[in-house]
Amino acid sequence: MKPTARELQRYESLAEEISRHDVAYYTLAQPAISDFEYDKLYRELKDFEEKYPGHKLPDSPTNRVGAAPLEQFRQVEHRVKMESLDNTYSFPEVEEFFARMEKLLEGRKVSYVVEPKVDGVAVSVRYEQGKLVLGLTRGDGSKGDDITENLKTLKQLPLTVKGAPEVLEVRGEVYMTHAGFSRMNQEREEKGLELFANARNATAGTLKLLDSREVAKRPLSIVLYGVGEVKGWSLASQDEVLATLKKLGFSVPEWHALAANGEEVLASITKLDQLRKKFSYPTDGAVVKVNEFAARAELGSTAKAPRWAIAYKFAPEQAETTLKAVTFQVGRTGVITPVAELETVQLSGTKVSRATLHNADEIARKDIREGDTVVIEKAGEIIPKVVAVVLSKRPAEAVPFDFAARLTELGLDAVREPGEVVWRLRQPSQEQRIRALSHFASKQCLDIENFGPAVAEALITAGYVKTPGDLFSLKHEQLVLLDKLADKSAENLLSGIEAAKRRELWRLIHALGIPNIGAQTARDLARHFGSLDALAGATYESYLRKKLGKKGQELKAEESVIPGVGGVVAESLLVWFTDPAHRELLEQLRVAGVSFADEKKNDAGNAPLMGKTFVITGTLSKPRSYFEEKIRALGGEVSGSVGKKTSYLLAGEEAGSKLEKAQKLGVTVLSEEDFNKLVG
Ligand code: IVH
């Protein structure tokens, strides 16, 4: 069906109007219409797009929901190097910076801009003819990961910019607000998912997700404070950049100061330290930049960073309070973490009543006693730490804290293995078993259908399951005895468990619940080792090797063999695989017939779709993830957009622009029925 000229015109003007309201709402925080009116416009836009999918604009405001997941991120070169800055921690160091500027510029006057240093992840976004075409991470400064699809889900980032020059690269920081971050962590806690330690980690983890539809659900925001390549305009100073970006509809730092000299800069930094407490996002310092670009060009860069800017980090905020008691927290892997229960106190804008004490050694080293007055600090992490005891305020009756004795008192049967810093429960508790089992079966692990925390709890409580390996010997007769589990769902559960035996290797690795191994690391490990046996047999040298010097000689320093897998992760893996209980679990899984390796992609018998790339579009009878998994299991790949390399377009009902493009490029189009025939 084709829209009339009038309908099309209405649609285009609606899209533009909604984009404008998005900027007003998300970037300027000055909504021009009510939510109700906005929803009405949005609904009208969506109705048109559903009716005429072929006419949907690529930069429609509805395109914020993400695209099909990627296999991995493409690496793209930065046109203009993306540099970073070293941190300084004291005013004298900032003063040295002014002295350097004066010397290098031979006394020529420059001004400075002071901006908040937003604690997030640096990105670069490229617009060509006003259209967002590319989004990159910093990477190593020369090349970054192509995270375009992830960035497009950020409502604060315009997809189209009116009045932009031919090429405009904007640079800034993706972050999470305090509120967005705590809401997200709360939801994760409710779902039994691992919590992020702080907003920065959460942002970095989110931007690394290969499925932009998941990114769309996370509370990411962006602030822009610089430019990369610009063609068709010439910008002369930092304050001009900030004003121009703001005028174009980008979100810029909510505060900045122009300073004429060093003294004014230091005063602005002090002012920022006060103001930042009210900011909605984490700010860990100030960035001081030479304002004039001509001077910047003269100053240039060292091998590591530009000479014209400096980052100053604020000291973490501290507070004094009373340590009422030390309690213990037991993690998924049985590790016991001591927690300080505190007299509630205000710190960095939040009320704090608990802090981590790390481990037994830390308590002994600092001689932390119940009843003590302690100094707590929040350095980026959400959980504050106890940094010192105020000895002058120690009560006479305070006695040294005896970790082992307290464990016994509480009836916790724990051990501390030689060489380990942590105490661990000898036998996992019921609660830990439930958590481990829920994790094993969860979406990002073996993805067992019809399995949730309630089922995990029922199975453990009934005593049918002690370790995840026991799942595979469950009987139908046992399941129907469980409360709330009908005959039919018992059957579904069993078939879900059966299917879980042949999942991708990374899922199995993630499912094992090895400390420090999240989904992304599990993927990296699976790609590197290829099988669970190879991973289990890895040694220290499999992860870390000596760096080589210029002449090929071995240096003292070590580097990762697998990018992103450093000492902490390596240690975690090595310890985990030496535990006899874990070895036993692996054998149990092997006997049950769980596949320990990804199906060989070069085995044409198992991988009839080897070398074929699919794009999926339109409405199909099952969720897209079903088709994606099927394609990948048979050796094929799935991509989000149609191009010359696309082998097939699987097109459901109401396929839109992708179908048109495929037809134009002569790509074979499959209906769902054709697809089913193809995969047998
Ligand atoms: S300027 C070469 N401005 O902090 C110029 N950076 O330690 C570098 N950051 O790598 C960027 N807020 O990731 C700049 N207002 C701001 C910033 C900022 C946060 C980050 C950025 C940078 C690091 C510098």
Side-chain angles (χ1 to χ4, degrees), residues 318 366 368 372-376 385-391:
Q318 297 190 333
K366 293 187 179 139
I368 297 169
D372 266 340
T373 296
V374 291
V375 178
I376 58 167
K385 57 184 178 195
V386 172
V387 288
V389 172
V390 185
L391 286 176

Side-chain angles (χ1 to χ4, degrees), residues 82-87 115-123 138 172-173 223 225 238 253 284 287 289 305-306 308-309 311:
M82 211 175 155
E83 298 180 284
S84 185
L85 301 171
D86 282 338
N87 291 323
E115 291 168 10
K117 180 163 145 44
V118 182
D119 198 12
V121 176
V123 298
R138 174 164 48 225
E173 207 81 0
V223 62
Y225 48 66
Q238 179 66 12
D284 59 346
V287 181
K289 304 173 178 177
W308 47 262

Side-chain angles (χ1 to χ4, degrees), residues 247-306:
K247 210 157 60 197
L248 290 177
F250 290 103
S251 154
V252 294
E254 63 188 82
W255 175 92
H256 75 268
L258 196 59
N261 51 42
E263 214 175 300
E264 283 185 26
V265 168
L266 296 182
S268 298
I269 294 180
T270 309
K271 184 164 177 205
L272 173 63
D273 196 14
Q274 286 308 311
L275 291 173
R276 73 185 176 114
K277 296 185 180 114
K278 296 231 164 66
F279 290 175
S280 58
Y281 46 78
T283 313
D284 59 346
V287 181
V288 182
K289 304 173 178 177
V290 167
N291 189 25
E292 295 80 11
F293 286 2
R296 283 190 188 182
E298 240 173 83
L299 290 162
S301 296
T302 66
K304 280 164 69 191

Side-chain angles (χ1 to χ4, degrees), residues 489-506:
S489 34
E491 218 168 275
N492 288 342
L493 192 56
L494 284 175
S495 66
I497 293 171
E498 188 57 32
K501 292 182 184 171
R502 293 175 305 281
R503 290 279 190 254
E504 297 140 288
L505 176 59
W506 72 267

Side-chain angles (χ1 to χ4, degrees), residues 399-511:
V399 288
F401 186 76
D402 188 337
F403 205 96
R406 183 62 60 87
L407 286 169
T408 317
E409 249 173 68
L410 294 171
L412 291 169
D413 183 17
V415 278
R416 181 176 169 179
E417 299 290 348
E420 279 230 35
V421 287
V422 294
W423 286 79
R424 220 179 269 274
L425 281 192
R426 226 184 281 265
Q427 284 289 323
S429 70
Q430 182 111 328
E431 188 192 326
Q432 247 176 288
R433 288 185 201 275
I434 294 171
R435 259 200 269 170
L437 188 63
S438 304
H439 172 77
F440 188 80
S442 66
K443 266 242 155 324
Q444 283 281 302
C445 293
L446 289 193
D447 192 14
I448 302 180
E449 265 185 71
N450 310 303
F451 199 108
V455 176
E457 188 174 348
L459 289 172
I460 301 265
T461 318
Y464 294 158
V465 173
K466 287 202 171 57
T467 72
D470 296 337
L471 271 186
F472 298 98
S473 41
L474 279 174
K475 304 263 173 319
H476 187 265
E477 307 84 80
Q478 294 176 308
L479 289 179
V480 285
L481 289 180
L482 291 181
D483 235 9
K484 290 186 238 144
L485 214 59
D487 212 30
K488 179 78 185 144
S489 34
E491 218 168 275
N492 288 342
L493 192 56
L494 284 175
S495 66
I497 293 171
E498 188 57 32
K501 292 182 184 171
R502 293 175 305 281
R503 290 279 190 254
E504 297 140 288
L505 176 59
W506 72 267
R507 292 180 172 278
L508 180 59
I509 295 172
H510 188 209

Side-chain angles (χ1 to χ4, degrees), residues 232-250:
W233 266 4
S234 98
L235 296 161
S237 64
Q238 179 66 12
D239 58 348
E240 190 185 351
V241 166
L242 294 176
T244 310
L245 293 181
K246 186 170 182 185
K247 210 157 60 197
L248 290 177
F250 290 103

